Amino acid sequence: MSLFKTREWWTTQLGVNEEFQGTSLAIGNIDNDTQKKSKDKIVTGSFSGILRIHYPESAEYKAKDLILEKNLGEPILQVEIGRFVGTAEKEKINALAVLHPRKLSVYTIEATTVKNFGMNMQQQQEENNNNTSHHDGKMLNYELVEHYSHELKRMAYNFCYGPFGDNYGVDFLCIQSFDGQLSFYQQERFLFARFLTNFLVPGPIRYFKPLDAFLTYSSEMKIECYKYKVLLASVGSSEKDANLTQGGKRLQVDWAVNVGEEVYDIRVARYSRYLSATQHEIIVLGERTLFTIKENGTISSQKRLDYFPSCIDVYVNAEMEGNRAAKHKLLIGTHSKTLMIYKDPKLIWGAGTTTIPCAVRVGSFGGLAGKIVTLDDTGRLSVNYLGTDPATNSVPQMEKQDFNYVEMEEEHRRLQAVIRQTKLEGRKEPEERIVIRAQVPKQLSRQQVSQEDDSRIRRVTVKLYVGYTGATTLTDVSLTLSLPAPFETVHQVIDIDSLPGGENKTPLIIPILVTCPASCSMTPSSLEASARALYADASGSPRTCTCKFLLPLILAGQLVPPKKTNTNCRLLMATNQPPPKIAELFSDCMLQENQVSSSSSILTFQYVSGVDVSILLSRNAGRYRIQSNSFTGLTLILSELVRRLTIKFSNSSLSTPFAISFPDPLPMPLFDELINTHFRARRTLSHSMEELEKRAAQFRSIQKRLLVRFKDRNPTPLNGMDKLYDATHASLVSLSRTVEGHQHDLQASAFELSSATSLLQLLITRKYSLSEKDVEVLVAHFPHHVNDDFSLDDISWEDLVFVSLSHLLQHSLKNNAASSSTSVRDRAQQTFSLSFSPENALKDPIKLSQVLLEFISRLEAGAKLYIPPPSKKSKR
């Protein structure tokens, strides 16, 4: 931040919602006036195509300062003032060159005196709308006269001008296109065009008069110099690569210097102190460095900038204008809203600005030379001078006072007590928070998705009530929905622009349409969905709110008549209380329209995937038998049965707590089969990916060889390489399709293994009567989520479970030693990261099966998974 501020002498806003850049500003005697003391005018052109010319004569903006405004109908990329018209010496006047994307136009400004100066007010207003202005008691009418224009075949980027070829007294034009073509024009006549070598993206371009050369910045981060004579004598081309195929002299770079960073602008000046009267140098403004380069292409100095520059201009003092030996000063605008003035090699002045300038120039206005004109990208144009009034920000003086150490000690004790109390109570949740409540219907929606859709498409509309307990209004709330497979919704992320708060405010109701597709091959294993809101509270801290809810069971399938099928998967669940009727437990499914009436002892449920599962009740023995032709089909129905029984008996007063157990042996053979299937699918995909990488490497090698053959000037026979290319490409496509099929198989096996793991966790919990802490340890070391995102370099689920269970067998289940006070999940992750490496990954899933059997045998022997940490008294 600078101590001083620039003083705004004159300022105005150019249009509304218009954009400008560094080449949108030019200053000069554009109307060729010879009578006024201050002859400079300000020319601006916006991307909206509006050309404006201002002539400030006094402080503060007046309507007459805008002497010309015209919409040219095309975006204006650059404006420059030079000798672009006239051939005779007396006809060489200043003209305005305006660059559009596809056209370059040259204009002159003509001012004529309006004779009928005594017109009424309405007529004066009409004349003012026609670029009429009052100056020195005269009414002048300014007109924009077009002398010539050039239609461009290529998209233009920028241009430069000067007396190319030592044609002093007249300025030629050089236009740079987006694809690297330099087009040269001598007023109305097109001269020639050349393409730059090794061109990628355009950069700044400047004509260097002492060498009669052009300076450009290439994508290789180099400043390159091309002499005009070399450009004229090189190969003429109308195509970008023609100079590689045609004969003649190719375009050569006179010199190039690597600056190593992005370049914003290039200027030619006499800046350094050691220069002789005839020497010039090149000023290059980089992203963080200011370079000075000699005429022979060597860097003479470079200055590291401690700010990000935005624009640059070079100027001489007013009294030194016209003196060829005068030294220039640098004026640099920055993104920190400051103007820096350099005189080699020091910073002589710095002043703050109100905006970030994108263009800066120095001119003479109001009879005073050396005023600074700045333009920002939004169109704020101002004429400034350097003031010496310091900023009003003053450092307040602190009052000297004696310290009361007794009060300080008392405050220290009070704060320590607050800190201890906070640690004991834990972090309190703020009272101002988002509250989410879900209303889930028990039956399906009657409205069909489409008349042509299959009747198996099932849908339900869940209503989310989102409210805010604070008094203000929240903005930018993001609501994310997470649904278990195979359930779907159209919008998984919902953006809430504003959420009003207050106790009496009605919560926002968001309907969520959840569907289960007809062509579904996956059997649902869970009904638990969640809605999570992400927002920022009043202090700006990120907050989240999560609401979990269960989807209706009828969304996953329908009731069907009992079938006599091959039910090789059977589970028997026993209860210690008289079991209720099945129709009473699953009454929500019975209420659905067009459903099959079921007896009180049997219920058959068919998933959307076609898998059937049945529940048989033996009221005398107090047992439920769940059977299906698929092992993964048991997961959802069994978990729903346990949940509904628990809810029913939790509200009743019983002498003995309700319990449901699994008396039979665990179905480990079926679970091991799913592990083997998933392991084989992962191994098959790995081999296919390796084969695909080999084919891809072979294909790239053939491509390189063919490119070498095609670039050779003396063609040689391909020797069947084209046939090898076609065969390799066909093999690559076939392998890609094979990999896609293996990825689908791996995804399906991972989903089945995840469902089976959830089922096994539930059976272990009920068989060995695990507590909540024991279940937490079980889930942490035996996770049910199998995530295969096709990145085979990651750790597989088999490796994770093998290492985690091995750790439990060696520590907690070995002698029930006390664990540390860290959380169970953290201990599992730390153990896995310390024990696993890619070298000892599982080569055979049999080892995992053996570890699982050993783990279950320890539980059978009465071992506990959770061991509470030792208390402080026992440690003492």
Side-chain angles (χ1 to χ4, degrees):
M1 179 180 176
S2 175
L3 179 63
F4 301 103
K5 300 286 186 180
T6 56
R7 312 300 296 274
E8 288 187 349
W9 180 74
W10 179 92
T11 182
T12 183
Q13 178 66 38
L14 304 180
V16 180
N17 297 329
E18 296 187 35
E19 296 183 7
F20 300 82
Q21 63 177 357
T23 56
S24 302
L25 175 65
I27 293 178
N29 187 13
I30 186 60
D31 60 346
N32 299 283
D33 186 14
T34 58
Q35 298 180 357
K36 297 185 177 67
K37 184 177 180 181
S38 299
K39 305 174 183 178
D40 289 342
K41 281 80 179 175
I42 304 174
V43 182
T44 56
S46 69
F47 289 159
S48 301
I50 300 178
L51 179 70
R52 297 181 179 90
I53 301 179
H54 290 84
Y55 180 44
E57 288 186 299
S58 59
E60 298 183 358
Y61 175 79
K62 299 179 179 60
K64 68 175 184 177
D65 295 341
L66 179 61
I67 63 176
L68 188 143
E69 181 177 17
K70 187 171 184 179
N71 191 346
L72 301 183
E74 296 183 66
I76 299 176
L77 304 181
Q78 187 175 349
V79 292
E80 295 291 348
I81 300 175
R83 300 288 183 90
F84 305 126
V85 297
T87 55
E89 186 65 30
K90 62 180 180 180
E91 296 177 353
K92 295 175 181 177
I93 59 177
N94 288 335
L96 177 64
V98 180
L99 180 65
H100 303 287
R102 290 287 185 176
K103 185 175 69 172
L104 173 71
S105 302
V106 175
Y107 305 90
T108 56
I109 310 300
E110 295 183 359
T112 58
T113 304
V114 181
K115 295 182 180 180
N116 51 349
F117 186 73
M119 61 181 69
N120 56 32
M121 295 299 295
Q122 182 178 359
Q123 293 173 337
Q124 289 184 13
Q125 183 65 28
E126 294 177 355
E127 289 294 337
N128 287 335
N129 295 334
N130 295 323
N131 299 324
T132 303
S133 180
H134 298 268
H135 292 279
D136 298 333
K138 298 180 181 179
M139 180 177 289
L140 300 179
N141 183 32
Y142 290 87
E143 294 183 359
L144 188 68
V145 180
E146 182 178 358
H147 282 257
Y148 59 89
S149 63
H150 296 285
E151 297 293 335
L152 307 178
K153 296 181 180 180
R154 301 177 181 274
M155 188 71 69
Y157 179 73
N158 57 6
F159 76 95
C160 64
Y161 66 96
F164 306 162
D166 297 333
N167 293 298
Y168 294 103
V170 61
D171 289 333
F172 290 13
L173 294 167
C174 173
I175 303 176
Q176 180 181 209
S177 66
F178 268 89
D179 56 355
Q181 186 188 57
L182 300 182
S183 303
F184 295 85
Y185 297 88
Q186 182 182 4
Q187 296 184 2
E188 298 91 342
R189 185 164 63 96
F190 170 74
L191 297 178
F192 60 92
R194 300 290 182 267
F195 274 97
L196 299 177
T197 58
N198 299 327
F199 183 86
L200 184 60
V201 292
I205 185 171
R206 186 73 58 180
Y207 175 68
F208 192 19
K209 184 178 178 181
L211 294 182
D212 191 25
F214 297 89
L215 305 171
T216 64
Y217 171 73
S218 68
S219 58
E220 297 177 345
M221 295 187 177
K222 293 181 180 180
I223 301 296
E224 298 178 346
C225 178
Y226 297 88
K227 288 193 174 181
Y228 180 74
K229 294 180 179 180
V230 176
L231 290 169
L232 185 62
S234 62
V235 178
S237 63
S238 59
E239 300 297 334
K240 189 171 184 179
D241 56 349
N243 54 3
L244 299 178
T245 59
Q246 297 178 359
K249 184 186 295 184
R250 297 177 58 185
L251 183 60
Q252 298 292 334
V253 179
D254 187 53
W255 53 259
V257 58
N258 193 342
V259 295
E261 64 181 50
E262 185 73 19
V263 170
Y264 295 154
D265 203 351
I266 302 174
R267 297 290 175 137
V268 177
R270 290 177 42 78
Y271 175 63
S272 301
R273 293 176 296 175
Y274 60 80
L275 295 179
S276 63
T278 59
Q279 287 182 327
H280 291 75
E281 61 186 352
I282 304 159
I283 307 298
V284 177
L285 180 64
E287 186 178 6
R288 294 303 298 269
T289 311
L290 181 66
F291 300 92
T292 56
I293 303 175
K294 296 181 180 179
E295 295 178 358
N296 59 1
T298 59
I299 298 178
S300 60
S301 66
Q302 61 183 43
K303 180 180 181 62
R304 187 69 174 175
L305 305 177
D306 54 356
Y307 51 83
F308 290 98
S310 61
C311 56
I312 186 174
D313 190 31
V314 295
Y315 72 99
V316 296
N317 293 336
E319 63 273 8
M320 298 296 292
E321 289 185 0
N323 186 359
R324 295 185 177 181
K327 296 296 180 65
H328 291 81
K329 296 183 179 65
L330 301 185
L331 181 61
I332 300 178
T334 72
H335 284 277
S336 56
K337 297 183 180 181
T338 55
L339 289 176
M340 302 294 185
I341 303 177
Y342 290 89
K343 181 180 180 181
D344 184 52
K346 298 179 180 179
L347 173 67
I348 61 175
W349 197 266
T353 59
T354 56
T355 60
I356 300 175
C358 68
V360 60
R361 303 288 186 271
V362 177
S364 176
F365 303 97
L368 185 62
K371 290 185 178 177
I372 302 173
V373 182
T374 59
L375 174 68
D376 67 357
D377 57 352
T378 61
R380 181 178 174 82
L381 178 66
S382 60
V383 179
N384 312 273
Y385 62 91
L386 300 179
T388 56
D389 295 341
T392 57
N393 300 337
S394 59
V395 180
Q397 295 183 357
M398 303 298 294
E399 296 181 0
K400 186 177 180 180
Q401 57 182 358
D402 296 333
F403 296 104
N404 191 335
Y405 293 100
V406 176
E407 294 182 357
M408 293 173 59
E409 184 68 23
E410 182 64 27
E411 183 181 5
H412 177 71
R413 291 196 191 96
R414 187 177 72 256
L415 294 178
Q416 288 289 346
V418 172
I419 293 173
R420 286 192 295 268
Q421 185 67 21
T422 304
K423 289 183 177 180
L424 293 175
E425 295 178 355
R427 184 176 180 180
K428 294 183 179 180
E429 291 294 327
E431 296 181 356
E432 298 180 352
R433 64 182 184 273
I434 287 182
V435 179
I436 303 177
R437 181 173 58 87
Q439 181 181 359
V440 183
K442 295 182 179 181
Q443 298 181 7
L444 299 179
S445 302
R446 297 179 181 271
Q447 181 183 2
Q448 296 295 328
V449 178
S450 175
Q451 297 296 334
E452 300 178 357
D453 290 334
D454 196 334
S455 60
R456 291 176 61 192
I457 295 182
R458 316 180 76 77
R459 53 184 286 169
V460 68
T461 301
V462 179
K463 293 183 179 180
L464 294 179
Y465 295 83
V466 184
Y468 179 55
T469 59
T472 59
T473 299
L474 280 181
T475 59
D476 298 333
V477 179
S478 179
L479 187 65
T480 304
L481 300 175
S482 178
L483 301 177
F487 305 112
E488 298 175 349
T489 185
V490 178
H491 303 288
Q492 290 189 346
V493 179
I494 301 174
D495 295 327
I496 304 175
D497 297 332
S498 62
L499 184 63
E503 297 180 356
N504 299 327
K505 290 289 183 179
T506 303
L508 181 65
I509 302 176
I510 302 177
I512 306 297
L513 180 63
V514 182
T515 60
C516 191
S519 58
C520 178
S521 59
M522 293 185 294
T523 302
S525 61
S526 175
L527 297 175
E528 182 177 303
S530 64
R532 180 178 289 105
L534 177 63
Y535 62 100
D537 58 9
S539 62
S541 302
R543 308 289 302 176
T544 59
C545 176
T546 304
C547 173
K548 295 183 179 181
F549 55 93
L550 293 177
L551 298 174
L553 178 61
I554 200 65
L555 185 63
Q558 61 183 346
L559 297 181
V560 295
K563 299 180 181 179
K564 293 183 179 181
T565 57
N566 183 18
T567 56
N568 53 353
C569 302
R570 299 181 181 181
L571 297 176
L572 191 65
M573 305 299 294
T575 61
N576 61 349
Q577 299 294 335
K581 298 180 181 180
I582 296 181
E584 183 181 352
L585 287 177
F586 294 91
S587 59
D588 54 338
C589 297
M590 300 295 181
L591 294 176
Q592 183 67 29
E593 277 191 13
N594 300 326
Q595 293 294 339
V596 179
S597 60
S598 179
S599 63
S600 60
S601 60
I602 186 172
L603 181 142
T604 302
F605 189 83
Q606 186 181 63
Y607 294 104
V608 290
S609 60
V611 176
D612 296 334
V613 58
S614 300
I615 303 177
L616 289 84
L617 171 62
S618 176
R619 303 200 64 179
N620 296 329
R623 294 184 176 185
Y624 292 92
R625 187 176 68 183
I626 303 96
Q627 59 187 19
S628 175
N629 54 0
S630 173
F631 183 60
T632 56
L634 302 173
T635 305
L636 180 59
I637 292 298
L638 178 60
S639 60
E640 276 295 300
L641 177 64
V642 173
R643 185 183 69 84
R644 294 173 186 236
L645 286 173
T646 304
I647 294 176
K648 182 173 182 58
F649 286 102
S650 61
N651 299 327
S652 58
S653 57
L654 301 174
S655 58
T656 57
F658 171 75
I660 181 170
S661 60
F662 177 65
D664 295 341
L666 294 173
M668 295 307 298
L670 298 176
F671 187 73
D672 293 340
E673 183 179 353
L674 292 177
I675 293 178
N676 295 332
T677 303
H678 177 262
F679 190 85
R680 286 194 302 268
R682 188 177 177 88
R683 182 66 60 87
T684 303
L685 178 59
S686 178
H687 292 332
S688 300
M689 292 291 290
E690 292 177 359
E691 190 66 24
L692 182 62
E693 291 178 0
K694 293 179 182 179
R695 286 292 184 273
Q698 178 181 339
F699 188 70
R700 289 192 296 268
S701 178
I702 297 174
Q703 282 181 324
K704 292 178 182 178
R705 290 180 178 271
L706 286 176
L707 288 175
V708 172
R709 296 286 181 91
F710 290 149
K711 288 183 178 180
D712 195 356
R713 293 188 176 182
N714 299 322
T716 58
L718 295 179
N719 297 330
M721 194 173 296
D722 53 343
K723 297 181 180 179
L724 181 61
Y725 176 86
D726 295 337
T728 306
H729 181 266
S731 176
L732 194 63
V733 173
S734 176
L735 280 174
S736 300
R737 294 173 179 172
T738 303
V739 168
E740 289 181 358
H742 291 165
Q743 288 177 346
H744 182 270
D745 295 341
L746 178 61
Q747 186 178 10
S749 62
F751 182 81
E752 291 183 354
L753 181 59
S754 177
S755 177
T757 306
S758 300
L759 177 60
L760 191 62
Q761 288 178 354
L762 179 60
L763 295 178
I764 292 175
T765 303
R766 294 301 169 179
K767 183 175 181 62
Y768 302 111
S769 302
L770 300 183
S771 62
E772 294 183 359
K773 292 291 185 179
D774 293 332
V775 174
E776 183 182 355
V777 177
L778 177 64
V779 173
H781 292 80
F782 188 48
H784 67 274
H785 182 62
V786 182
N787 184 17
D788 284 316
D789 55 356
F790 309 142
S791 179
L792 300 178
D793 296 333
D794 295 339
I795 301 168
S796 65
W797 178 87
E798 289 82 0
D799 296 325
L800 175 64
V801 174
F802 177 77
V803 176
S804 300
L805 294 183
S806 300
H807 171 74
L808 278 180
L809 293 174
Q810 296 174 5
H811 295 82
S812 299
L813 295 180
K814 184 178 181 180
N815 49 8
N816 284 345
S819 60
S820 62
S821 60
T822 57
S823 66
V824 176
R825 189 175 299 274
D826 292 340
R827 291 203 308 272
Q829 293 177 354
Q830 293 173 4
T831 303
F832 181 75
S833 62
L834 293 175
S835 304
F836 178 80
S837 62
E839 290 77 11
N840 57 11
L842 282 178
K843 302 298 188 297
D844 192 348
I846 296 179
K847 293 184 178 179
L848 177 59
S849 301
Q850 294 174 352
V851 171
L852 279 172
L853 292 176
E854 180 65 23
F855 171 72
I856 293 173
S857 64
R858 298 283 181 89
L859 294 178
E860 192 77 32
K864 296 296 182 181
L865 294 176
Y866 176 75
I867 305 299
S871 60
K872 295 182 179 180
K873 294 182 179 180
S874 61
K875 288 183 180 180
R876 294 176 183 176

